[in-house]
Amino acid sequence: MNNARSAILARLRATPQGMLPALPEWRTDVPSAERLDRFCTLLEASHAEVVTSASQRWPALLAERLKARGNTGAIGPVLYAPGTAHGRQLAEAWADQPDFPLVAYDRPVEELKETLVHGVGAAVTGTMGGIAETGSLILWPTRDEPRLMSLLPPLHIALVDAGALYGTLTEAMIACDWAAGMPTNALLISGPSKTADIEQTLAYGVHGPKELMVIVLDP
């Protein structure tokens, strides 16, 4: 083994371990509360903000959480999908809400390109569900809610139904019948976009959203 390789391996082995919380070996036959707890714990360990809300109240809760960040002007407009049920719910609830103007994803991407890159500070999307074993969201992009909504804005706000948390990826694939047809991109998201490619210095928001807020809908 040459000296350069030895030095690299030594640095990797010296990297502090235990960034993720110690969790018991995962089993799928656990109560739903334990499944939800593991899902939230792993997401928070990956620097996601996780909150729980009643299904009818999440737009109000979201406005409260965004205002609590202080400088509402720094967040800017919020992108949403008017062709989805949660998009319509957000638009109705925020009709008189002055702090965070809504921008509808209702045009071809060529007309929205500048807005997607520079004109919005956050985007709200739904999910197909979540995976408790890994603390991952399952995104299933559609024409109404395309992949770019969870890729370009600095803050990604994802809604996940507490009743759609699966124990493992395999369980989700079987339960949702993925074999019947998949979109161009089926996404698993376990935290904000991050990389340590340069000098092993962890940086957020390099290849995607810098922040991830997950709202667990628990009726």
Side-chain angles (χ1 to χ4, degrees):
M1 185 180 299
N2 60 45
N3 291 336
R5 185 179 181 187
S6 298
I8 292 171
L9 290 175
R11 286 201 301 271
L12 290 173
R13 288 168 180 148
T15 301
Q17 304 297 310
M19 294 185 67
L20 292 177
L23 295 171
E25 186 175 349
W26 181 237
R27 308 183 336 269
T28 57
D29 58 337
V30 299
S32 56
E34 187 174 333
R35 186 173 291 200
L36 175 59
D37 182 63
R38 181 183 178 105
F39 175 75
C40 295
T41 298
L42 288 175
L43 274 170
E44 288 171 342
S46 297
H47 293 263
E49 179 181 354
V50 184
V51 295
T52 301
S53 172
S55 298
Q56 296 304 314
R57 192 182 177 278
W58 70 264
L61 176 67
L62 175 57
E64 292 169 6
R65 300 294 293 203
L66 293 179
K67 288 178 183 176
R69 293 172 172 235
N71 186 357
T72 57
I75 294 174
V78 175
L79 188 68
Y80 79 107
T84 63
H86 51 269
R88 291 188 289 273
Q89 183 184 2
L90 180 64
E92 181 178 351
W94 279 20
D96 299 319
Q97 183 278 127
D99 296 308
F100 308 105
L102 288 173
V103 174
Y105 197 120
D106 58 0
R107 285 152 284 170
V109 64
E110 291 76 13
E111 298 179 24
L112 274 173
K113 192 180 303 181
E114 184 68 18
T115 299
L116 286 168
V117 176
H118 301 295
V120 295
V124 178
T125 76
T127 65
M128 173 178 277
I131 300 172
E133 182 182 29
T134 56
S136 304
L137 300 166
I138 305 170
L139 265 68
W140 204 261
T142 64
R143 179 184 294 272
D144 288 331
E145 195 170 75
R147 167 73 175 108
L148 289 176
M149 290 187 65
S150 61
L151 181 64
L152 292 178
L155 169 61
H156 177 204
I157 300 157
L159 308 171
V160 58
D161 190 331
L165 294 184
Y166 304 97
T168 64
L169 174 60
T170 301
E171 185 181 319
M173 294 173 70
I174 294 172
C176 300
D177 195 16
W178 288 26
M182 295 179 65
T184 303
N185 294 295
L187 310 173
L188 301 178
I189 297 177
S190 302
S193 170
K194 55 184 176 293
T195 181
D197 286 350
I198 301 175
E199 296 184 349
Q200 297 183 31
T201 299
L202 189 61
Y204 288 89
V206 177
H207 305 300
K210 188 175 183 178
E211 297 180 88
L212 173 65
M213 180 190 295
V214 178
I215 302 179
V216 180
L217 305 178
D218 192 356

